[in-house]
Amino acid sequence: MFFPRAARLAALLGALTIPATSALAQDVTLTSRDGAVELSGTLLGFDGEFYRLDTMFGELTVDGSGVTCDGPGCPSLTGFVARIGFSGAASMADVLLPALIEGFALRNGYDTDRTQGESADFTYALSTPDPKTPVATFSFRVTNSDEGFADLLADEADIVMSTREIRPTERTLAHDAGMGDMTQANRSRVLALDAMVPVVSPENPVRAISVPALAQVFAGQIANWQDLGGPDAPIVLHLPEAQSGFAQAVTDRLLVPADLPLAADIRRHPDSRTLSRAVSLDPFAIGLASFADVGAARALMLTGACGYGIAATRRSVKTEDYPLTAPLFLYIPARRLPQVARQFLAYTTSAAAQLVIRRAGFVDLAAERIPVGDQGTRLANAIRSAGPEVSLRELQKMVQVLAPLSRLTTTFRFEAGSARPDAQSRSNILQLAHALEAGTYDAHRLVFAGFSDGEGAAEPNRAISLGRAQAVRDAVVAMAEASGLQQVELEVAGFGEALPMACDDSEWGRQVNRRVEIWID
């Protein structure tokens, strides 16, 4: 159940000092079986096994098997039904999460019953058949990423659906409310991948645009198609609603790195699908749409002054080689969720779930192999860039190491101006660690291959790229707590600027080039 917005904001403001509580929360007393210990407080939640209590000592989690509960708020221990609240981005709640819940239910033999609530909100009830016994309800409040985080901070949601990263203020509020560091891999989970794709009408003659020029277009500094090689006509800008996580990600990923403000004269749309449809009908329009919603519009290739170009494809988005990749996040606070919720979250990382994600139109996270023979463009770029800094001998050394191997789509990149892996890469570290624990790569050799941008001298760049490769390998090994890593060879190599993915004449290009790839025999 969700509060009115006024109550939700009041709880958010109070989250800095006291834990937020639900309107339905009631005082209870938990007593140990021998009667020696008694604990009173406000019941915040019960997951079927553990009580979560707001007490004079702070928020506590108590094992239900060792206590008895007294008070009007005490839950039933025999007919327990798990209740999990999702809140946030409409683009994730529209198709993706329902498809995953249906897949999870089918895999576990549950029946599902969807009930439509007010506006776009809805609830899934899961039950066992014959006899029909309720197991869980998944409630969805469908708004945007901002509202999702507000609901989490007000203790009105268990999981946030977000198409952008958590803001620093939200991160601080969550930490101070006892929810942990929401940027850690176990709190911030990449569910699937999307991308911000520049789209135009099929009648528009422009085929490609550089990222710096795209930023200037949406800042209003380039206002005529003639400046992009098109007709002498004004450029009409289209974006989703300003409150949507997708639109906020456009500002974060495209305009902030270029230190440019967003233009004021922009036509807004309720969702990406509507945007693409409108752009496809206007030969002078340009918009940024979801990879899943390009539709009848035509996607522009991203290019640079040095001649490199890359299109938004499932593979380029999955490797994050496409520079405007947009992860879809689930944010989960540091508290125990009901068992069925934990099972659902585990399912979302399974091979079966990756097929569901792909069929929903998004890019899945399953690691794929890319043979050297499929990487002709990358190797051509390497040869084209060879010169005094990167000699033919250096390229030959790189090819000698990588030619017998295949590249995995699991790639690691770093936050701008930082050695810290970005949000998608932090999720990739966890994913690769789990795969190593499961024995997926037993009897194989994995090479962590580091690459750098072309700024500075070649030798220091090789050292930097090797250091990044070692850091990523160490992070993966540290995350893989289970034994068995001796069954796989983990090597590192640093090739500096030898294999560029983009032009080094812009910050986005340099950031794309700074990466660690995984190659496997």
Side-chain angles (χ1 to χ4, degrees):
M1 181 174 181
F2 298 98
F3 289 174
R5 180 172 173 78
R8 190 165 65 253
L9 291 177
L12 188 156
L13 293 174
L16 280 170
T17 55
I18 60 173
T21 59
S22 168
L24 298 180
Q26 299 184 53
D27 290 340
V28 300
T29 298
L30 302 180
T31 307
S32 62
R33 298 293 182 185
D34 59 7
V37 179
E38 190 175 271
L39 189 66
S40 296
T42 303
L43 183 66
L44 300 178
F46 178 67
D47 67 3
E49 300 172 280
F50 286 78
Y51 296 96
R52 189 163 58 91
L53 222 62
D54 183 15
T55 73
M56 62 183 295
F57 308 107
E59 187 175 308
L60 300 176
T61 300
V62 181
D63 188 345
S65 64
V67 298
T68 59
C69 183
D70 182 47
C74 290
S76 168
L77 300 183
T78 55
F80 172 74
V81 178
R83 302 185 187 280
I84 304 99
F86 290 78
S87 181
S91 58
M92 296 175 67
D94 183 25
V95 175
L96 182 57
L97 265 302
L100 287 168
I101 288 175
E102 293 279 2
F104 170 71
L106 182 64
R107 193 172 186 83
N108 289 276
Y110 296 137
D111 290 337
T112 59
D113 182 21
R114 175 168 171 159
T115 304
Q116 194 65 40
E118 296 181 5
S119 185
D121 297 351
F122 60 93
T123 299
Y124 266 96
L126 273 60
S127 59
T128 59
D130 194 28
K132 188 176 181 66
T133 306
V135 173
T137 60
F138 290 77
S139 300
F140 286 82
R141 186 169 186 273
V142 184
T143 51
N144 54 56
S145 300
D146 285 354
E147 290 287 320
F149 285 113
D151 283 337
L152 180 72
L153 292 167
D155 210 20
E156 296 174 22
D158 300 299
I159 299 173
V160 178
M161 305 172 291
S162 181
T163 52
R164 63 163 174 83
E165 291 189 59
I166 190 170
R167 301 276 192 240
T169 302
E170 294 163 340
R171 178 185 178 184
T172 300
L173 286 167
H175 182 271
D176 291 345
M179 297 181 182
D181 183 354
M182 301 293 283
T183 66
Q184 294 300 310
N186 53 347
R187 305 271 73 85
S188 165
R189 183 171 299 191
V190 176
L191 179 66
L193 300 174
D194 200 356
M196 295 175 279
V197 182
V199 293
V200 297
S201 165
E203 299 176 25
N204 192 311
V206 174
R207 301 291 185 201
I209 188 170
S210 71
V211 173
L214 186 63
Q216 290 177 293
V217 166
F218 278 91
Q221 292 187 354
I222 296 178
N224 194 295
W225 281 108
Q226 199 168 35
D227 296 328
L228 299 173
D232 183 9
I235 298 174
V236 182
L237 303 176
H238 293 252
L239 280 177
E241 290 179 347
Q243 296 81 12
S244 71
F246 187 93
Q248 292 171 348
V250 169
T251 299
D252 293 346
R253 299 289 300 276
L254 182 64
L255 294 169
V256 169
D259 196 22
L260 292 173
L262 189 64
D265 187 16
I266 294 179
R267 299 186 183 181
R268 299 286 185 172
H269 301 271
D271 55 60
S272 186
R273 192 176 298 113
T274 306
L275 179 152
S276 292
R277 191 178 305 117
V279 168
S280 70
L281 299 174
D282 182 352
F284 304 129
I286 185 171
L288 282 166
S290 162
F291 175 77
D293 294 327
V294 171
R298 179 163 52 76
L300 296 181
M301 176 177 285
L302 296 181
T303 188
C306 62
Y308 298 167
I310 190 162
T313 65
R314 192 175 64 83
R315 181 172 285 177
S316 67
V317 171
K318 182 177 287 194
T319 57
E320 213 180 347
D321 292 344
Y322 184 77
L324 297 180
T325 297
L328 304 179
F329 297 96
L330 294 180
Y331 281 92
I332 308 154
R335 60 176 181 240
R336 187 180 176 89
L337 294 175
Q339 185 180 37
V340 68
R342 302 195 302 271
Q343 291 171 339
F344 172 72
L345 291 173
Y347 165 78
T348 62
T349 65
S350 69
Q354 303 314 303
L355 291 175
V356 173
I357 290 168
R358 190 183 303 184
R359 288 169 183 162
F362 296 95
V363 178
D364 62 277
L365 304 179
E368 300 175 26
R369 297 191 185 204
I370 310 174
V372 170
D374 291 353
Q375 302 182 59
T377 299
R378 278 164 36 103
L379 295 174
N381 288 343
I383 295 170
R384 183 188 306 167
S385 301
E389 292 292 316
V390 181
S391 66
L392 177 60
R393 182 180 178 184
E394 291 299 324
L395 291 180
Q396 289 173 332
K397 286 168 61 178
M398 178 187 70
V399 171
Q400 185 177 5
V401 173
L402 300 182
L405 310 175
S406 295
R407 180 191 176 190
L408 287 182
T409 50
T410 304
T411 306
F412 307 89
R413 284 187 167 82
F414 306 89
E415 293 177 346
S418 170
R420 186 185 191 221
D422 63 20
Q424 181 177 333
S425 297
R426 294 195 295 273
S427 185
N428 285 348
I429 287 172
L430 185 62
Q431 180 189 23
L432 181 56
H434 287 169
L436 290 173
E437 287 180 328
T440 304
Y441 300 118
D442 281 0
H444 285 284
R445 179 167 64 100
L446 267 61
V447 177
F448 290 72
F451 298 91
S452 73
D453 59 39
E455 293 286 289
E459 193 56 41
N461 282 341
R462 277 192 289 273
I464 290 170
S465 66
L466 179 62
R468 288 198 181 111
Q470 291 169 332
V472 171
R473 180 203 55 190
D474 293 347
V476 170
V477 170
M479 191 71 72
E481 298 176 355
S483 60
L485 293 184
Q486 64 273 16
Q487 302 299 322
V488 60
E489 294 181 48
L490 302 178
E491 301 177 5
V492 295
F495 300 111
E497 57 200 82
L499 194 57
M501 295 298 306
C503 306
D504 275 325
D505 59 356
S506 65
E507 176 53 38
W508 78 266
R510 291 188 290 273
Q511 189 170 353
V512 167
N513 287 334
R514 296 190 292 264
R515 67 197 187 277
V516 174
E517 300 177 356
I518 305 296
W519 289 70
I520 185 171
D521 64 6

